[in-house]
């Protein structure tokens, strides 16, 4: 991407948007959707599907976008008449489109009352969410609402404006009850298994924890609120100046918040809505009575494999996913974890050609035009891996098989997030953000076997897997190889036994060895 002088160009706005780039040409509809989580994924996924639906069938489905904390995107959108570009990239082609579906952009921490008013407005029919797994404030150990979370505690007490996503939703519903407004739909678009059921349960737990009068006021109303499950799928990296330059070069306008994305986009939704919905099926979405198989297909084959690529890639010094998957050893490990350990645990949905799906996945991973960074994919692993690893791992263990590459995923995660003293995991691993880093890092100074057991005992992957000694030992083996040798050697150890005489010279980590391959023969 060539650098261009963006400052000399007009800003993107209503009068400078190239007409050919607009996904729909209708007048901006009134707000029918309030979206919580004004990040890149929403703007490249739900907003694009909604724009395509509006192009096919009009309706009151404008989107009010709400950022949780950061004002950067919201303020930029306001300066640009709520316009932004989506830059769809692949090695073969690029396309720039403008959804033009947002009716406003707010920041929850800055304008909490305006957000609550929007949630309670009679015209609001749907609340959509892309707040990441971490934004649901549940306990990683139990999956229940984390009532020890300071934001949750404050929101339950009603101390000031809501600080959490659940607090916003519940207080918004409370205003609807008091205003006599009809029930609405809350549609999670995050990577949670059974995301609709999970959201419904957490909202109900929040309401149940409120003082008696508020609880009694809200509980009957919740019966009319819909929480459909959904599966979302599109690779959307972070915005950089390279993408800003690309839009400027193609359009001759300055967009400070363009969104890069792959051409592929998929949205599978349970058709259960309380107050109507856009014609999303005409915008590329698939409606089904059972989203579960699609969720598993994506959460395990795509997301689970993606996590392994990210951790191994970061430890191997690879800044991006395409650079990581281009390494033969990492490609082999990704294919192994997908085919041998994730795929046998997934009921493939009818009509899905799984071989075509897998081939498409690896083409998407290798999309070199899309610089999807390993640090972005690897962040928040403590929440992500809890959704992806335990069930398939336990299924294999129950059948007498050791899931070596799932163990390698956990080892890679620990090596990135809580490397022991004296070991440098590299800048991409160090840049990964994770809510568990603070509690895991102090444990890393222990000998590797003790560290792994202590890390699993924190509830990182649930109690059942933490109690499985053979799995903990296998994670220990592979973590030891990562600490003392390198990524290709660890992948080789996960694939085939390595004897002590076959191991290359140690990299000099101060951690003690722990008997590599001691548990492979027994499994």
């Amino acid at each position: 991407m060539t650098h261009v002088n963006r400052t000399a160009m007009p800003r993107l706005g209503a009068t400078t948007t190239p007409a050919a780039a607009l996904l729909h040409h209708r007048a901006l509809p009134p707000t029918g959707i309030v979206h919580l989580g004004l990040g890149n994924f929403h703007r490249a996924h739900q907003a694009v599907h909604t724009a395509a639906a509006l192009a096919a069938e009009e309706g009151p489905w404008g989107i009010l976008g709400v950022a949780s904390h950061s004002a950067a995107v919201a303020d930029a959108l306001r300066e640009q008449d709520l316009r932004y570009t989506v830059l769809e990239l692949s090695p073969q082609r690029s396309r720039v489109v403008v959804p033009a579906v947002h009716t406003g952009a707010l920041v929850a921490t800055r304008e909490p009352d305006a957000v609550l008013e929007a949630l309670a407005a009679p015209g609001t029919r749907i609340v959509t969410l892309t707040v990441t797994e971490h934004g649901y404030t549940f306990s990683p150990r139990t999956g229940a609402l984390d009532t020890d979370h300071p934001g949750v505690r404050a929101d339950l007490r009603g101390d000031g404006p809501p600080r959490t996503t659940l607090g916003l939703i519940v207080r918004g519903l409370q205003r609807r009850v008091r205003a006599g407004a009809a029930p609405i739909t809350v549609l999670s678009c995050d990577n949670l298994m059974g995301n609709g059921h999970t959201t419904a349960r957490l909202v109900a737990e929040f309401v149940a924890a409120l003082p008696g009068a508020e609880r009694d006021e809200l509980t009957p109303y919740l019966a009319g609120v819909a929480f459909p499950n959904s599966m979302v799928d599109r690779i959307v990296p972070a915005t950089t100046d390279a993408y800003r330059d690309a839009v400027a070069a193609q359009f001759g306008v300055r967009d400070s918040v363009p969104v890069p994305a792959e051409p592929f986009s998929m949205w599978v939704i349970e058709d259960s809505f309380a107050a109507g919905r856009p014609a999303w099926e005409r915008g590329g979405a698939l409606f089904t009575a059972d989203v579960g198989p699609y969720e598993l297909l994506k959460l395990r084959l795509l997301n689970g494999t993606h996590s392994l690529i990210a951790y191994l890639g970061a430890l191997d010094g690879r800044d991006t996913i395409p650079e990581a998957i281009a390494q033969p050893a990492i490609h082999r490990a990704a294919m192994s974890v997908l085919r041998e350990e994730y795929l046998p645990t997934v009921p493939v949905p009818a009509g899905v050609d799984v071989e075509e799906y897998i081939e498409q996945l690896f083409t998407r991973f290798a999309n070199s035009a899309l610089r999807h960074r390993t640090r972005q994919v690897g962040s928040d692993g403590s929440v992500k891996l809890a959704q992806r690893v335990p069930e398939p791992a336990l299924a294999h263990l129950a059948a007498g098989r050791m899931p070596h590459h799932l163990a390698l995923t956990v080892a890679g995660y620990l090596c990135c997030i809580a490397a022991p003293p004296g070991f440098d995991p590299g800048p991409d691993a160090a840049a990964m953000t994770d809510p568990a880093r603070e509690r895991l890092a102090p444990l890393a100074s222990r000998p590797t076997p003790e560290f792994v057991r202590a890390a699993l005992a924190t509830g990182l992957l649930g109690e059942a897997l933490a109690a499985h000694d053979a799995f903990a030992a296998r994670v220990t083996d592979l973590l030891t190889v990562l600490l003392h040798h390198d990524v290709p050697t660890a992948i080789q150890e996960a694939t085939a036994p390595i004897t002590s005489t076959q191991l290359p010279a140690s990299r000099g980590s101060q951690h003690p060895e722990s008997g590599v391959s001691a548990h492979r023969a027994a499994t």
Side-chain angles (χ1 to χ4, degrees):
M1 297 179 186
T2 305
H3 179 72
V4 296
N5 184 11
R6 299 193 307 272
T7 59
M9 296 180 176
R11 184 187 295 277
L12 178 68
T15 61
T16 58
T17 302
L22 287 169
L23 285 177
H24 75 92
H25 294 269
R26 301 182 188 277
L28 187 63
T31 300
I33 302 171
V34 175
H35 181 81
L36 305 181
L38 191 56
N40 277 14
F41 186 81
H42 157 68
R43 291 187 294 128
H45 189 273
Q46 293 92 359
V48 169
H49 282 280
T50 302
L54 287 171
E57 183 178 310
E58 64 182 344
W61 302 115
I63 302 173
L64 174 66
V66 180
S68 299
H69 305 287
S70 173
V73 172
D75 288 348
L77 288 178
R78 288 177 175 183
E79 292 174 359
Q80 296 180 178
D81 302 324
L82 302 169
R83 300 289 176 90
Y84 65 93
T85 55
V86 178
L87 181 61
E88 298 180 348
L89 294 167
S90 73
Q92 292 74 38
R93 67 178 181 89
S94 68
R95 182 175 82 123
V96 182
V97 298
V98 178
V101 292
H102 289 90
T103 59
L106 300 175
V107 182
T109 53
R110 187 177 67 188
E111 301 146 305
D113 201 58
V115 175
L116 291 171
E117 285 182 7
L119 292 170
T124 297
R125 314 280 190 86
I126 302 172
V127 176
T128 52
L129 311 173
T130 53
V131 295
T132 77
E133 299 94 327
H134 183 50
Y136 288 77
T137 53
F138 57 80
S139 166
R141 181 183 290 273
T142 66
L145 177 69
D146 185 1
T147 52
D148 292 328
H149 188 287
V152 172
R153 290 203 306 269
D155 287 353
L156 287 171
R157 292 193 302 265
D159 290 350
R163 304 182 193 179
T164 65
T165 300
L166 294 176
L168 272 175
I169 292 170
V170 170
R171 295 304 180 183
L173 294 177
Q174 187 176 53
R175 288 199 181 194
R176 295 189 73 85
V177 171
R178 293 173 179 177
I184 57 174
T185 299
V186 178
L187 176 61
S188 171
C189 301
D190 284 300
N191 289 325
L192 295 170
M193 191 61 200
N195 55 12
H197 296 326
T198 298
T199 307
R201 176 176 55 77
L202 291 170
V203 167
E205 289 175 6
F206 190 104
V207 169
L210 289 170
E214 292 183 317
R215 181 183 64 243
D216 295 343
E217 174 185 48
L218 274 164
T219 299
Y221 188 81
L222 280 185
V225 177
F227 294 89
N229 292 307
S230 76
M231 184 278 279
V232 296
D233 188 2
R234 193 172 205 185
I235 294 174
V236 182
T239 300
T240 66
D241 281 344
Y243 299 120
R244 295 183 180 95
D245 287 346
V247 171
Q250 184 161 338
F251 270 1
V253 295
R254 174 165 43 102
D255 180 4
S256 60
V257 285
V259 184
E262 64 175 337
F264 178 92
S265 186
M266 187 176 186
W267 196 4
V268 183
I269 314 170
E270 181 184 5
D271 200 357
S272 174
F273 287 76
R277 60 169 178 79
W280 277 319
E281 68 274 22
R282 300 188 68 183
L286 171 67
F287 283 89
T288 179
D290 185 8
V291 176
Y294 293 93
E295 287 180 310
L296 284 176
L297 191 76
K298 194 250 181 170
L299 281 170
R300 295 181 186 174
L301 271 61
L302 188 155
N303 296 134
T305 305
H306 222 179
S307 291
L308 179 61
I309 297 168
Y311 298 128
L312 297 183
L315 294 169
D316 199 46
R318 313 299 169 178
D319 182 52
T320 70
I321 295 294
E323 291 167 358
I325 200 66
Q327 307 311 306
I330 296 177
H331 188 283
R332 185 170 66 251
M335 190 63 79
S336 294
V337 78
L338 187 154
R339 285 192 175 279
E340 299 170 15
E341 296 173 19
Y342 281 126
L343 183 56
T345 71
V346 173
V348 178
V352 173
D353 183 331
V354 74
E355 290 303 320
E356 180 181 330
Y357 182 83
I358 293 170
E359 181 180 355
Q360 187 179 50
L361 272 186
F362 277 80
T363 298
R364 294 167 64 193
F365 292 149
N367 184 349
S368 57
L370 206 63
R371 293 189 58 80
H372 203 191
R373 305 187 79 180
T374 52
R375 65 182 63 184
Q376 181 183 355
V377 177
S379 288
D380 290 333
S382 58
V383 184
K384 294 174 179 177
L385 295 186
Q387 301 287 324
R388 302 168 188 176
V389 169
E391 286 192 14
L394 289 167
H396 285 289
L397 291 166
R401 300 184 298 270
M402 175 58 67
H404 299 285
H405 289 86
L406 293 178
L408 180 60
T409 302
V410 178
Y413 163 78
L414 292 174
C415 204
C416 285
I417 300 300
F423 179 85
D424 180 7
D428 290 290
M432 292 176 184
T433 59
D434 196 292
R437 188 187 285 273
E438 187 175 343
R439 75 173 185 267
L440 293 177
L443 305 176
S445 59
R446 303 180 183 186
T448 307
E450 294 180 20
F451 167 48
V452 170
R453 286 196 296 271
L456 294 178
T458 65
L460 183 67
L461 299 174
E463 295 180 1
L465 200 54
H468 207 291
D469 291 340
F471 185 78
R474 193 66 185 126
V475 173
T476 300
D477 287 347
L478 294 165
L479 178 56
T480 298
V481 179
L482 287 171
L483 294 173
H484 288 276
H485 302 285
D486 55 24
V487 167
T489 306
I491 293 169
Q492 183 183 350
E493 163 59 19
T495 306
I498 302 176
T499 67
S500 59
T501 58
Q502 293 174 313
L503 285 169
S506 170
R507 294 198 296 191
S509 168
Q510 298 177 358
H511 253 43
E513 294 282 0
S514 69
V516 175
S517 292
H519 298 274
R520 174 175 282 279
T523 56

